[in-house]
Amino acid sequence: MAPESTVFILDDDSAHRKLIQRTIRRAGFKSKIVEASSLVQAEQLLEGDTQSFSFFVVDLNLRDGRSINFIRSLRNRSQHCDSPIFVLSTSGLESDRLEAKNAGATRYIVKDADLTELATLLLTFPNF
Amino acid sequence: MTAKLSRQQQKKALPKKASGSNPFAIELINLLHEHHSFILSLLVPGTFLLIFFLAFGPKTILSSIIACLLTALLAFLAGVEFVSRFFSRALRNLTSTAKVTDYTQQLFRSDHVPSSLQLVQETGVDLLDAFFRASNESLIKVRNGLVAQLEEAGKIAERYKVLTTNLAASVQIRSISGKTIFCSPYTEVLTGYSSDDIISDKTKLEEIVLSEDKERYQRALKVAELGEDILVRYRILHRSGIRLWLETHLVPIRDEKGTVCSLMSVTIDVTDTLTYQKEVEDRNQDLSEFAYMVSHDLKAPLFTIQGMANAMLEDHGADLRDDAKGLLLYIVDAAHRLERLVSSIIEYSALSTAAVTDAEINLNETIDSVLRDQGEFIRQRRAFIDIDPMLPTVRGNELRLYQIFSNLFGNALKFTPSDRSPEISVKARWENQDSVTIDIEDNACGIPEDKLKLIFRPFARIHTDIEGSGIGLACVRKIVERMGGSITVDSRLGVGSIFHLVLPLSVPKPRQVPPNLERIYQH
């Protein structure tokens, strides 16, 4: 695992960010974690930044809007066009899943009690 | 009309014999005429024989004279017969009793008519009078019958006129060529165009149908022309400029050979109904969206509660006392149940908004798939499953049909008391050509009679001792109804239940309105 790797988390709920961080750490990642609590903050953090991220964990529904356009904008940036983007949501709707996939999400994960799916996914991707 | 004369009146009207006439000659003629048939039958052959003998026998002056006299006598008798027949025929040719009476009166008033002729005419008039009397009575009966029928037809026509004039619907009859033959006055209210405008311009009605709905309207006409009743909804542009939703019921009219010769249509304004329906749909949609949003908003803090409680147990469980761990487990358990409840609300409200795509679904394949997925549970419960191998192909959504059978089978397995093996049978019944009834029978614990109406309501849990969200059968009913079917249940407590699932068949019977034309409502 590359120690210099960085992970980006976008979620408007601080408790959720904490739980996601815990899941990442428990999967063995020592990566630096960059957090954003809104779409606006996420855009500001990435603006002009040439840094690449190991992967993104993005909540779908945020207080200042849906993250679909943010995902599209990531795919249009050369340094992020191939980065895995995991969309986390409390919504299990097929339409949400499809919309996220079409925007460029690598995986759509429904938030469950202990983020089992995210944990399993991270464990099966040793490159991260 | 001149009144007929009775026989006595006719007799009174007979003219007296002329004083100047020879009574002997008249009597002789009468006698001859009265018995002329008998005389002729004897005299004619004898006379002919005598004439033949005298003409071709020995020639004497006397024989020639006698032959001439006999010939003259024959000619006289023939003349009397001719005159008699002539007048009888003349009388017979008269077609009116009145004319006959008048003519007869005139005839008998004449002083020049011989009494033999009077007798002949008197007899003729009697016969003719009886004949015409009988004929006249028959004619009067026929005429009265016709008058009654005409009056009845007039009343019916008047009734139809009152009906079509006052009915709040436009009634039209159009030929197969598209020409409007009849158009009730209410058409003007619906369209703004008079009946004359519509009858004189055969394209007028089609012109005012909005372009988006024109194809649907024309297809409905084609279907009706092919001999099917059809109901179609479409929008028109009223002459005043407003848009209206109309509903037309088209009925083909057939001739005596069974060929469609014209179409009758009854059209009503359904704008208010559809507007109200739309409002109700919008409110339901809002309600569903509200339920969905609330549920989602509930899910986020719920995720936090569950996540944090789990994290506390995993990360600090060893540091906690047992009673503290027990309290945390209560939180985790309650959060888990709340999470299931919220997920059920989301699932139920999503059913109201999700589009139902139609496809032809083989029920045996769908049920096989459900049985495969529930195989472990079926084996655990040692259940006996009996599926009709010839279940039909229905019209519906594969995933939704899977949900229906998965719910019903799952309930049957879950609610069968542990002291007996679950038995589930699935059979098909055909009660009409449009749909099929699938009976799903189980030997589970059954439903109390007073709770039967409740089981399809959301969150109505009958057996609270068995885990469940209370949303399963509500979802089943909603899915079935959205597919155009229905579901009912018969049950005996402690014995089992039979769910009757009515589903639309994939191939509707010919008279059914095509789905794309039936109750189409688009804004």
Side-chain angles (χ1 to χ4, degrees):
Chain A
M1 183 159 311
E4 70 275 10
S5 70
T6 310
V7 175
F8 191 98
I9 299 174
L10 168 60
D11 200 309
D12 56 357
D13 191 315
S14 59
H16 289 199
R17 288 200 301 276
K18 197 168 273 298
L19 286 169
I20 294 166
Q21 230 185 82
R22 177 176 172 269
T23 305
I24 293 169
R25 296 281 179 235
R26 282 169 69 87
F29 286 84
K30 307 285 183 204
S31 320
K32 179 186 168 192
I33 295 177
V34 175
E35 292 181 31
S37 60
S38 67
L39 287 168
V40 175
Q41 192 187 5
E43 290 290 352
Q44 284 170 352
L45 286 170
L46 294 176
E47 198 175 347
D49 191 358
T50 54
Q51 181 187 3
S52 64
F53 293 91
S54 300
F55 59 91
F56 291 82
V57 180
V58 179
D59 188 17
L60 184 65
N61 294 305
L62 297 119
R63 287 192 186 86
D64 57 347
R66 283 164 72 81
S67 58
I68 297 297
N69 286 336
F70 175 72
I71 297 166
R72 285 202 190 101
S73 72
L74 287 180
R75 288 293 178 228
N76 290 332
R77 297 175 193 194
S78 57
Q79 71 272 33
H80 307 310
C81 62
D82 296 323
S83 303
I85 303 172
F86 304 130
V87 173
L88 255 65
S89 174
T90 52
S91 165
L93 282 185
E94 194 57 37
S95 55
D96 285 342
R97 195 182 291 271
L98 197 66
E99 195 178 9
K101 281 271 193 186
N102 289 341
T106 311
R107 192 78 169 249
Y108 185 94
I109 299 166
V110 179
K111 289 177 180 173
D112 61 359
D114 41 16
L115 287 174
T116 319
E117 193 177 346
L118 180 64
T120 311
L121 186 69
L122 294 177
L123 287 172
T124 55
F125 284 87
N127 289 339
F128 301 144
Chain B
M1 184 185 288
T2 310
K4 287 192 302 176
L5 291 173
S6 69
R7 184 188 169 118
Q8 283 182 341
Q9 286 170 323
Q10 286 171 2
K11 279 186 176 174
K12 281 179 188 173
L14 286 173
K16 289 179 182 175
K17 292 174 184 175
S19 58
S21 59
N22 186 338
F24 174 76
I26 291 171
E27 282 304 313
L28 180 64
I29 290 169
N30 282 343
L31 195 66
L32 280 171
H33 186 71
E34 196 173 330
H35 302 289
H36 74 277
S37 300
F38 176 72
I39 293 166
L40 281 174
S41 64
L42 290 176
L43 206 58
V44 172
T47 309
F48 270 111
L49 279 173
L50 192 58
I51 291 168
F52 188 77
F53 176 76
L54 292 172
F56 298 102
K59 302 276 196 286
T60 63
I61 295 172
L62 186 61
S63 64
S64 299
I65 292 168
I66 291 169
C68 286
L69 285 171
L70 287 170
T71 307
L73 181 63
L74 272 175
F76 174 74
L77 288 169
V80 169
E81 179 70 12
F82 172 76
V83 170
S84 166
R85 284 174 187 268
F86 172 78
F87 281 107
S88 293
R89 193 175 297 152
L91 284 170
R92 227 178 277 130
N93 285 339
L94 293 174
T95 55
S96 156
T97 305
K99 281 184 181 175
V100 170
T101 309
D102 291 344
Y103 186 77
T104 312
Q105 282 176 326
Q106 287 171 18
L107 192 67
F108 287 136
R109 280 193 195 105
S110 167
D111 290 338
H112 302 292
V113 178
S115 61
S116 63
L117 272 183
Q118 287 173 4
L119 287 171
V120 170
Q121 297 310 341
E122 190 178 336
T123 310
V125 167
D126 286 347
L127 288 169
L128 286 168
D129 184 44
F131 170 75
F132 281 114
R133 199 187 299 263
S135 302
N136 197 38
E137 282 170 7
S138 300
L139 283 170
I140 288 168
K141 277 185 188 170
V142 170
R143 194 203 68 154
N144 288 345
L146 284 171
V147 168
Q149 283 181 15
L150 270 171
E151 283 175 357
E152 185 60 28
K155 283 178 189 169
I156 293 170
E158 187 60 29
R159 247 178 271 153
Y160 277 110
K161 192 179 170 188
V162 168
L163 189 70
T164 54
T165 306
N166 297 298
L167 193 69
S170 161
V171 181
Q172 293 170 38
I173 297 176
R174 53 177 281 163
S175 66
I176 290 296
S177 64
K179 183 173 170 50
T180 303
I181 301 164
F182 172 78
C183 190
S184 71
Y186 196 75
T187 312
E188 187 166 355
V189 178
L190 284 188
T191 63
Y193 296 95
S194 70
S195 301
D196 291 341
D197 289 341
I198 289 164
I199 288 172
S200 61
D201 183 355
K202 77 181 220 180
T203 59
K204 179 55 75 185
L205 280 177
E206 287 188 29
E207 274 174 14
I208 60 173
V209 176
L210 296 193
S211 56
E212 302 97 296
D213 299 343
K214 206 160 272 183
E215 189 189 341
R216 187 187 324 141
Y217 177 78
Q218 285 167 344
R219 278 163 60 195
L221 285 175
K222 288 277 175 208
V223 170
E225 284 167 11
L226 290 171
E228 300 293 332
D229 290 16
I230 191 164
L231 191 70
V232 61
R233 281 179 177 176
Y234 53 95
R235 285 162 296 180
I236 62 153
L237 187 64
H238 191 273
R239 195 175 193 173
S240 62
I242 59 168
R243 291 178 172 203
L244 292 176
W245 272 98
L246 300 186
E247 180 181 274
T248 296
H249 186 197
L250 286 160
V251 181
I253 300 172
R254 298 172 186 275
D255 60 18
E256 62 276 4
K257 291 175 186 169
T259 311
V260 177
C261 55
S262 54
L263 301 179
M264 190 192 79
S265 66
V266 180
T267 304
I268 54 171
D269 179 0
V270 289
T271 310
D272 288 346
T273 311
L274 292 187
T275 305
Y276 177 71
Q277 190 179 319
K278 182 78 169 56
E279 279 174 17
V280 171
E281 282 172 6
D282 286 348
R283 282 181 197 172
N284 281 340
Q285 177 81 9
D286 290 347
L287 206 60
S288 293
E289 285 173 7
F290 174 74
Y292 180 77
M293 290 308 295
V294 167
S295 306
H296 267 289
D297 287 348
L298 283 174
K299 264 198 149 186
L302 191 58
F303 171 69
T304 307
I305 295 168
Q306 286 179 302
M308 291 303 179
N310 281 337
M312 176 73 87
L313 282 170
E314 286 171 13
D315 297 349
H316 308 287
D319 305 330
L320 292 172
R321 292 204 322 254
D322 285 350
D323 57 341
K325 262 200 275 189
L327 292 173
L328 265 177
L329 284 171
Y330 275 119
I331 294 172
V332 171
D333 184 50
H336 177 64
R337 278 188 280 118
L338 185 58
E339 198 263 336
R340 284 191 57 181
L341 195 62
V342 170
S343 297
S344 299
I345 297 172
I346 291 171
E347 187 185 349
Y348 186 72
S349 58
L351 283 176
S352 306
T353 52
V356 175
T357 52
D358 268 0
E360 291 186 4
I361 309 295
N362 183 310
L363 283 183
N364 280 109
E365 289 175 8
T366 305
I367 290 175
D368 284 349
S369 171
V370 173
L371 294 178
R372 261 198 312 276
D373 294 347
Q374 299 197 359
E376 186 58 33
F377 195 19
I378 291 168
R379 278 190 292 278
Q380 279 175 11
R381 293 294 328 258
R382 298 176 183 275
F384 176 75
I385 315 281
D386 176 22
I387 309 292
D388 181 348
M390 300 298 287
L391 291 177
T393 297
V394 298
R395 178 162 287 282
N397 178 280
E398 190 174 8
L399 179 65
R400 299 302 185 202
L401 280 165
Y402 177 95
Q403 278 180 284
I404 291 170
F405 287 102
S406 179
N407 251 297
L408 295 176
F409 289 1
N411 283 348
L413 294 169
K414 194 164 66 175
F415 292 108
T416 302
S418 54
D419 60 351
R420 61 181 184 236
S421 294
E423 291 176 14
I424 302 170
S425 79
V426 179
K427 290 184 171 58
R429 280 187 291 128
W430 280 264
E431 285 176 350
N432 60 56
Q433 288 178 284
D434 300 332
S435 59
V436 62
T437 303
I438 309 291
D439 292 327
I440 301 112
E441 187 171 2
D442 64 50
N443 65 338
C445 57
I447 304 152
E449 199 175 340
D450 60 325
K451 308 281 188 197
L452 279 175
K453 287 183 180 171
L454 299 175
I455 63 164
F456 294 110
R457 289 187 187 171
F459 310 113
R461 298 195 59 213
I462 310 300
H463 304 287
T464 48
D465 51 325
I466 299 170
E467 195 186 355
S469 66
I471 202 81
L473 286 177
C475 285
V476 166
R477 188 180 69 171
K478 187 165 267 193
I479 292 168
V480 172
E481 287 176 353
R482 278 181 65 83
M483 282 169 48
S486 64
I487 186 166
T488 53
V489 64
D490 291 320
S491 187
R492 283 179 63 196
L493 192 62
V495 177
S497 307
I498 308 176
F499 287 87
H500 309 291
L501 182 63
V502 180
L503 295 171
L505 282 168
S506 63
V507 182
K509 71 174 186 178
R511 280 188 66 78
Q512 194 187 32
V513 175
N516 55 349
L517 294 175
E518 185 189 26
R519 290 177 174 75
I520 293 168
Y521 177 50
Q522 295 168 335
H523 268 298

